[in-house]
Amino acid sequence: MSEPATETGCGVRGDERLTPGELRTLFLFESLDEAQLARFAEHGRVERYPAAARVYEEGSPATCFYVLLSGTIALSRRVQGDEVELNRTEQRGVYAGATQAYLAEREGQVYPHSMLAISDVEMFSLPADVLATALREWFPMATHLLEGMFLGLRASQTIVGERERLLALGSLSAGLTHELNNPAAAAVRATAVLRERVAHMRHKLAMIADGRLDGSRLHELVELQEEAVKRAAGAAPLSAMATADAEDELSDWLDDHDIAGGWELASTLVAGGIDAEWLERISDAVGGENLEAAVRWLTYTVETEQLMCEIAEAVTRMSTLVAAAKQYSQLDRAPYQTVDVHDLLGATLTMMQAKIPEGVRVVKEYDRTVPLIPAYAAELNQVWTNLIDNAFSAMREEGGTLTVRTGHDTERVFVEIGDSGPGIPAEIRPRIFEPFFTTKPVGEGTGLGLDISYRIIVNKHHGDIKVESHPGDTRFRVLLPITPA
């Protein structure tokens, strides 16, 4: 029996120790000699934590090195105020805590993340200064190599990571700007034309209503204007041949009634669902003397309705793009939430619309019975972006088809990103998830996309990502659990 737990620099610790033989059963210590094992056995202690307890907190002084003996733990970090799980494991012998104790400058070292006990856990705890001294005494050359490699890798990852984020942000910003520019320009153009048409409409109405028409006829003309607006809003699109025939018929009617520029008016009126029979009602309402002014006034009415519909469509398109950007970035949303993978895929495809190479078509094969799943939505969007971008790169030269497919079984949802590119050669396929490995030309890839995707899916979501590739058919299949892991 161990003594009651006491508070120390390494947390709640009892007096129970492991023997050198017990330490040797942990893969981290199996190659140490008896004297080395004895030193760690002397200074280390067994600590026990109940489920939901924190073993250590991110940002607090890194005073202890921990090795898992039993139970399940999770590592997490705070990202903009939210707790994000990095990894979860029950593997005996895994270690965390003061893993950088070997660095020459230990002053100010803090835990880079938090450790949470998911179940009741048992840990072997070793003071950081004991570990640091032992490593520098026993393995001086290895310690120097590790120190240099750690500092160099940290610097290169910082530079490459920043560059990767900037490139991704720039690419997505350029795509979003391009997509927003088209409807914005359409709205600006339509607004300018609308202002002009409204001015003309006011002028023609003044000509009609300056005393030439009595009240009853003017009232009838206004009713016809309301009917024209409804016709324009509900006009069914015609085929090219039917449109040409209708415009010819209307143009002839306008010419027969001495209305100048009839061919210009005819296209607007036909698009608004107006025909010669309806124009006869205008003639009956106002008479021949005021017919041209009335027809032009109603033409302006139809055109303004069309322009307002165009503006509404452009603004709706911009609103949709902004909504897609928010869905993609998950602004104002909790990192971990219940999501529909189709919403995430739709937002990603919208954001990448401008990056679709010429000659590439996108096919969506969605299973709409796929259930909602708990996930880190913004990070799944990063996975879709990486996989789709790689597919586009594979088809950039020859074109092809991008296929986005979804489905599920009783336990997992799958999302499949496929392309009809040349495929991944068999000899490099085992390496594609390695960090910094890339087949893209120099300057076009950092080799981090698939590595990041793998860690997000496997380590963070406890899912899996698989690849099958043959010339003309490459498929990345992402598997995600339906229930929280």
Side-chain angles (χ1 to χ4, degrees):
M1 286 287 291
S2 62
E3 296 296 323
T6 58
E7 190 74 23
T8 73
C10 287
V12 180
R13 175 188 291 187
D15 286 339
E16 183 179 350
R17 306 183 186 187
L18 296 182
T19 66
E22 289 171 327
L23 276 180
R24 194 182 292 280
T25 63
L26 301 170
F27 65 82
L28 190 63
F29 305 127
E30 62 186 3
S31 298
L32 299 182
D33 60 32
E34 291 300 325
Q36 292 168 338
L37 288 170
R39 182 191 292 194
F40 282 169
E42 177 186 357
H43 292 283
R45 295 291 186 276
V46 175
E47 296 182 9
R48 293 182 175 84
Y49 294 85
R54 284 192 181 270
V55 181
Y56 58 78
E57 186 78 27
E58 176 185 353
S60 59
T63 56
C64 282
F65 177 78
Y66 292 93
V67 182
L68 180 64
L69 300 176
S70 65
T72 302
I73 58 170
L75 303 182
S76 64
R77 288 192 65 180
R78 286 190 300 272
V79 180
Q80 296 182 354
D82 295 305
E83 195 85 2
V84 179
E85 185 175 312
L86 304 176
N87 196 10
R88 181 179 296 208
T89 183
E90 58 184 17
Q91 181 183 353
R92 185 174 188 272
V94 297
Y95 51 88
T99 54
Q100 298 164 16
Y102 61 86
L103 295 177
E105 296 184 3
R106 291 206 59 253
E107 189 68 27
Q109 283 193 17
V110 297
Y111 292 118
H113 44 246
S114 299
M115 181 188 289
L116 176 70
I118 301 301
S119 66
D120 292 347
V121 298
E122 192 175 53
M123 310 289 295
F124 174 72
S125 169
L126 189 66
D129 55 352
V130 174
L131 177 65
T133 302
L135 290 177
R136 303 193 80 82
E137 285 181 9
W138 300 341
F139 315 108
M141 181 177 178
T143 302
H144 286 304
L145 287 172
L146 280 172
E147 186 173 14
M149 186 168 64
F150 169 78
L151 295 175
L153 184 60
R154 184 174 63 180
S156 65
Q157 282 184 325
T158 299
I159 295 171
V160 171
E162 289 177 353
R163 179 65 174 167
E164 183 87 2
R165 286 191 292 272
L166 284 172
L167 287 173
L169 179 61
S171 177
L172 290 173
S173 298
L176 182 60
T177 302
H178 174 79
E179 292 296 321
L180 285 170
N181 183 64
N182 291 335
V188 170
R189 180 195 62 78
T191 301
V193 176
L194 180 62
R195 183 178 291 110
E196 179 185 345
R197 295 298 184 267
V198 169
H200 286 312
M201 190 163 62
R202 288 196 302 265
H203 176 67
K204 293 301 179 186
L205 181 59
M207 291 177 59
I208 295 170
D210 64 358
R212 302 178 191 179
L213 294 179
D214 59 36
S216 61
R217 286 194 167 191
L218 184 59
H219 180 72
E220 184 178 355
L221 185 60
V222 171
E223 289 181 349
L224 288 170
Q225 181 194 35
E226 290 298 322
E227 186 179 335
V229 169
K230 293 179 182 179
R231 277 177 170 259
L238 301 175
S239 65
M241 184 167 292
T243 299
D245 291 342
E247 288 179 2
D248 287 342
E249 180 184 354
L250 214 55
S251 181
D252 290 342
W253 188 95
L254 295 169
D255 290 341
D256 292 342
H257 290 77
D258 299 323
I259 297 177
W263 61 275
E264 293 179 343
L265 304 178
S267 60
T268 300
L269 293 170
V270 168
I274 305 300
D275 54 21
E277 181 181 348
W278 195 84
L279 288 180
E280 287 290 350
R281 295 170 59 189
I282 302 296
S283 179
D284 295 339
V286 301
E289 181 182 353
N290 299 305
L291 180 59
E292 181 168 353
V295 168
R296 289 188 180 278
W297 178 58
L298 290 170
T299 302
Y300 293 144
T301 298
V302 171
E303 192 169 8
T304 55
E305 184 66 22
Q306 293 169 342
L307 289 168
M308 284 189 288
C309 289
E310 187 176 334
I311 293 170
E313 184 178 342
V315 173
T316 300
R317 173 62 177 160
M318 287 189 285
S319 177
T320 301
L321 286 168
V322 171
K326 289 186 68 176
Q327 173 70 264
Y328 181 82
S329 63
Q330 293 295 299
L331 289 175
D332 305 324
R333 302 188 185 194
Y336 193 71
Q337 56 183 292
T338 301
V339 300
D340 184 339
V341 293
H342 300 118
D343 292 341
L344 305 183
L345 290 167
T348 303
L349 288 170
T350 299
M351 294 295 292
M352 300 187 72
Q353 191 70 28
K355 295 189 69 174
I356 300 178
E358 185 177 352
V360 171
R361 69 188 186 101
V362 177
V363 175
K364 303 173 188 175
E365 298 179 1
Y366 291 168
D367 177 1
R368 292 296 180 178
T369 66
V370 166
L372 303 181
I373 61 170
Y376 294 94
E379 299 193 33
L380 286 186
N381 284 337
Q382 188 177 2
V383 173
W384 314 144
T385 299
N386 291 335
L387 296 180
I388 292 172
D389 186 61
N390 284 345
F392 285 160
S393 296
M395 298 184 288
R396 196 172 303 281
E397 298 296 330
E398 303 294 333
T401 301
L402 173 79
T403 304
V404 183
R405 185 179 293 110
T406 63
H408 69 101
D409 56 26
T410 56
E411 297 181 352
R412 298 188 295 185
V413 165
F414 76 80
V415 174
E416 191 172 270
I417 310 293
D419 69 74
S420 57
I424 304 171
E427 60 271 17
I428 68 170
R429 204 173 302 158
R431 300 189 59 198
I432 60 174
F433 293 108
E434 293 179 10
F436 303 107
F437 179 79
T438 180
T439 59
K440 295 179 181 178
V442 175
E444 291 189 15
T446 61
L448 291 175
L450 288 179
D451 170 57
I452 291 171
S453 299
Y454 184 89
R455 285 190 281 115
I456 289 173
I457 297 301
V458 177
N459 295 344
K460 199 158 188 178
H461 289 85
H462 312 291
D464 198 5
I465 180 169
K466 301 178 180 179
V467 60
E468 295 181 8
S469 184
H470 309 282
D473 185 13
T474 296
R475 303 180 189 181
F476 282 85
R477 174 170 282 212
V478 173
L479 299 158
L480 295 163
I482 293 175
T483 55

